Amino acid sequence: MTPLTWLYVPGDRPHLVTKALTAGADVVVIDLEDAVAPDRKEYARQATAERLCERQPVPVHVRVNALDGPLAAADLTAVAALPGVCGLRLPKVTSPEQIVRVAEATAPGDGGAPPLHALLETALGIERAHAIASAHPALRGIALGETDLRADLGVREDAGLDWSRSRVVVAARAAGLAPPPQSVHPDIRDLDTLAASCAHGRTLGFLGRGALHPRQLPVIERAYLPTAREIEEAERIVKAAVTDQGAQALPDGTFIDAAVVAAAQRTLSLARRT
């Protein structure tokens, strides 16, 4: 199932991790980085390792600390090979070499590295988006970290991030990765603005979004699931493609080809989530 919701939870709050695992998110992200105070880092790592020593009811990713800092190596050693870890989220990635080093460091002798997801949070990371996205087969996705990127660029208005957003969407597609999820919306109470932001993100090519609180999950899912009209249109396109192969025009004048059919099939795949 294509994930649409990624719920972040602090690694030093085991009781919140327990709640997050039953909150309805497609993926739970245990955060060892920004959500954890410096004097709680070691405890967060230990608590996360204990939790993930066995498989969990939903996929769990771990966001480790910044790769250029002193804590990332210990984080990776502690959690990368655990049965409950389905992916590692790597913050503040700025070069493809960082991805290669993590992939090589976390690959056991009898297998490959765990799935890696790179977070691009600086101007340099955005400039190197495609190189990072295509750095290693273990890399399964890229996404933005908009809070840090906003500070790095000195951007105040939300529209100032749209070029970077499109850059990441294009880089992911060019590297054969899944469409990236949107960055988290920081105001957990303002659900109307969240819904509007999700709608805008969808027009840019994002698929799904990170969340900071369970109340954000249904808003994100509704925004990214296809509407009844989109489902009807996709069914019409797929049905027409089955009966008449190749490029063609539908009775209403809509032109369809292989790319349009593939998009319609993706729409129907998302619709089946319900």
Side-chain angles (χ1 to χ4, degrees):
M1 182 177 68
T2 302
L4 293 182
T5 52
W6 311 70
L7 179 59
Y8 280 78
V9 60
D12 64 337
R13 308 285 292 279
H15 67 289
L16 292 183
V17 174
T18 299
K19 291 182 177 180
L21 291 169
T22 60
D26 295 328
V27 179
V28 169
V29 183
I30 299 180
D31 190 8
L32 303 182
E33 193 209 15
D34 287 344
V36 180
D39 62 349
R40 301 271 291 176
K41 295 286 189 181
E42 185 174 352
Y43 171 70
R45 183 188 304 126
Q46 293 173 350
T48 299
E50 290 176 8
R51 162 72 66 170
L52 300 180
C53 65
E54 59 185 18
R55 294 189 180 277
Q56 301 299 306
V58 297
V60 175
H61 289 198
V62 177
R63 180 165 75 171
V64 300
N65 282 282
L67 300 181
D68 59 356
L71 301 175
D75 292 344
L76 293 169
T77 299
V79 306
L82 295 176
V85 175
C86 294
L88 297 172
R89 301 187 77 77
L90 311 178
K92 300 176 178 62
V93 174
T94 58
S95 73
E97 290 78 17
Q98 289 175 305
I99 302 300
V100 173
R101 285 197 295 269
V102 172
E104 292 176 348
T106 57
D110 58 350
L116 306 177
H117 296 256
L119 300 176
L120 310 184
E121 306 180 67
T122 65
L124 185 57
I126 298 300
E127 281 297 298
R128 295 172 173 172
H130 180 255
I132 292 168
S134 55
H136 194 279
L139 189 76
R140 305 296 174 80
I142 59 174
L144 284 176
E146 291 190 359
T147 299
D148 285 337
L149 181 61
R150 190 185 298 270
D152 190 41
L153 297 177
V155 169
R156 294 187 178 183
E157 298 297 327
D158 190 70
L161 294 178
D162 276 358
W163 183 87
S164 298
R165 291 165 175 157
S166 293
R167 179 73 178 267
V168 168
V169 170
V170 171
R173 178 60 181 165
L177 302 177
Q182 279 185 275
S183 184
V184 298
H185 181 66
D187 189 337
I188 64 173
R189 297 164 297 181
D190 188 353
L191 300 183
D192 289 339
T193 300
L194 170 63
S197 176
C198 288
H200 178 61
R202 191 178 179 198
T203 67
L204 294 176
F206 287 98
L207 183 61
R209 187 165 199 163
L212 295 175
H213 192 280
R215 68 167 61 100
Q216 296 178 315
L217 300 177
V219 178
I220 295 168
E221 185 160 332
R222 281 196 302 271
Y224 275 99
L225 284 175
T227 64
R229 181 176 180 179
E230 289 168 339
I231 294 170
E232 181 181 356
E233 177 71 10
E235 289 174 338
R236 188 165 64 98
I237 290 171
V238 171
K239 182 178 180 180
V242 170
T243 58
D244 189 359
Q245 300 293 320
Q248 58 179 299
L250 298 181
D252 66 356
T254 303
F255 181 82
I256 64 171
D257 59 10
V260 174
V261 173
Q265 291 170 334
R266 288 194 295 270
T267 296
L268 295 180
S269 177
L270 277 176
R272 285 192 286 270
R273 288 172 54 96
T274 61

